[in-house]
């Protein structure tokens, strides 16, 4: 019996010419934009600093996204709930990657940046490993380990993280009897990758610079 890949190769999907959308479907009038903006600002601000709330802090972050043409401008699903960071905390993120990763607000902002580079799966994998290590129930550990493997380790996953063969082989052995530390080596490798590769670019990004200016301005006005 032919495999899925062989069938797809033998019977490729037909190509259809793309039709341009009518102007009314992809253009939004200034009046509609103002109406949507007013509706959003009418919502009460939540007490937490998270990517889902409509407070002025997050509006500053959205403006930072728009200032940087490299972003997708999409709300981050399942972001961590956290308080608004202080000026000292935001400045501290540039001094140490550890400080950034130990701060929930810092992880949210860094995760936003990783999305612009299409590497958000690195942070998602790291967070999933942290959650796994905090689990005590044996059954829950096995289930979460299986989900992490399917989501981030399997070569069939669209969110597969980049790991060397030695680490992958170790995970495959440990998955026979999963524990809360099954992915420790992989987590460290991804942490190192984010530190050496993504972190320097994050510090020079429009997202981080705009947020630093925002908290500095808020601090001087208070």
């Amino acid at each position: 019996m032919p495999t899925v890949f062989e069938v797809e190769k033998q019977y490729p999907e037909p190509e259809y010419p793309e039709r341009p959308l009518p102007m009314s479907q992809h253009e939004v009038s200034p009046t509609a934009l103002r109406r949507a903006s007013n509706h959003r600002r009418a919502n009460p601000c939540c007490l937490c600093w998270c990517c889902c709330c409509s407070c002025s802090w997050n509006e500053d972050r959205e403006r930072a996204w728009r200032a940087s043409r490299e972003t997708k401008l999409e709300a981050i699903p399942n972001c961590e709930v956290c308080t608004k960071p202080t000026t000292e905390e935001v400045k501290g993120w540039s001094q140490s990657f550890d400080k950034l990763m130990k701060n929930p607000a810092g992880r949210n902002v860094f995760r936003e940046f990783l999305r612009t580079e299409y590497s958000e799966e690195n942070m998602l994998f790291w967070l999933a490993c942290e959650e796994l290590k905090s689990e005590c129930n044996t059954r829950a550990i096995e289930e979460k380990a299986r989900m992490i493997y399917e989501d981030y380790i399997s070569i069939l996953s669209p969110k597969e993280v980049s790991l060397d063969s030695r680490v992958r082989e170790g995970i495959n052995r440990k998955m026979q009897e999963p524990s809360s530390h099954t992915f420790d080596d992989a987590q460290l490798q991804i942490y190192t990758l984010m530190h050496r590769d993504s972190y320097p670019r994050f510090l020079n990004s429009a997202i981080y610079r705009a947020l630093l200016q925002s908290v500095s301005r808020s601090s001087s006005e208070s």
Side-chain angles (χ1 to χ4, degrees):
M1 181 178 295
T3 65
V4 174
F5 300 105
E6 291 173 341
V7 172
E8 289 181 348
K9 186 175 181 180
Q10 185 176 0
Y11 303 101
E13 293 186 3
E15 295 184 359
Y16 300 97
E18 295 184 358
R19 295 182 179 179
L21 293 173
M23 295 295 289
S24 60
Q25 291 187 23
H26 62 78
E27 288 189 355
V28 182
S29 67
T31 303
L33 286 175
R34 286 195 298 271
R35 190 176 301 148
S37 177
N38 292 335
H39 174 73
R40 184 176 66 149
R41 285 180 171 82
N43 295 330
C45 179
C46 64
L47 298 179
C48 70
W49 181 78
C50 67
C51 55
C52 305
C53 98
S54 60
C55 61
S56 59
W57 173 255
N58 286 293
E59 290 176 355
D60 287 339
R61 296 163 73 195
E62 183 174 335
R63 281 193 291 271
W65 289 346
R66 295 189 182 278
S68 172
R69 297 183 180 180
E70 59 188 354
T71 64
K72 298 182 189 176
L73 307 180
E74 297 176 1
I76 291 183
N78 303 321
C79 64
E80 299 179 77
V81 175
C82 53
T83 58
K84 178 179 177 178
T86 64
T87 304
E88 289 72 23
E89 286 177 322
V90 177
K91 288 181 177 179
W93 299 345
S94 66
Q95 300 169 0
S96 166
F97 185 63
D98 291 338
K99 287 183 179 180
L100 173 70
M101 292 295 286
K102 288 178 180 178
N103 188 298
R107 291 194 295 269
N108 278 340
V109 177
F110 187 52
R111 181 177 165 189
E112 290 176 13
F113 171 74
L114 292 177
R115 289 193 96 197
T116 70
E117 296 204 330
Y118 301 92
S119 58
E120 183 189 12
E121 66 276 1
N122 290 333
M123 176 65 80
L124 295 177
F125 172 68
W126 188 88
L127 291 171
C129 292
E130 288 295 289
E131 181 180 346
L132 177 65
K133 288 191 289 188
S134 66
E135 184 60 66
C136 298
N137 183 278
T138 303
R139 224 168 178 181
I141 289 175
E142 292 178 354
E143 178 64 16
K144 288 183 178 180
R146 182 186 62 80
M147 293 177 63
I148 291 174
Y149 187 92
E150 292 178 355
D151 286 344
Y152 304 108
I153 307 301
S154 171
I155 60 174
L156 301 178
S157 172
K159 296 185 293 184
E160 177 194 4
V161 295
S162 179
L163 300 171
D164 62 37
S165 58
R166 178 188 62 82
V167 172
R168 284 185 176 278
E169 290 171 1
I171 291 175
N172 290 333
R173 289 194 300 270
K174 294 175 183 178
M175 282 299 295
Q176 297 176 9
E177 295 183 8
S179 73
S180 57
H181 297 283
T182 295
F183 304 99
D184 281 4
D185 290 342
Q187 185 186 23
L188 177 60
Q189 190 167 105
I190 294 302
Y191 184 92
T192 303
L193 175 65
M194 290 190 294
H195 184 188
R196 294 178 178 176
D197 186 57
S198 303
Y199 176 60
R201 290 195 298 274
F202 165 73
L203 297 180
N204 292 318
S205 69
I207 290 178
Y208 178 67
R209 292 198 306 269
L211 293 183
L212 184 58
Q213 292 175 1
S214 176
V215 294
S216 300
R217 183 172 61 251
S218 299
S219 178
S220 62
E221 291 175 354
S222 60

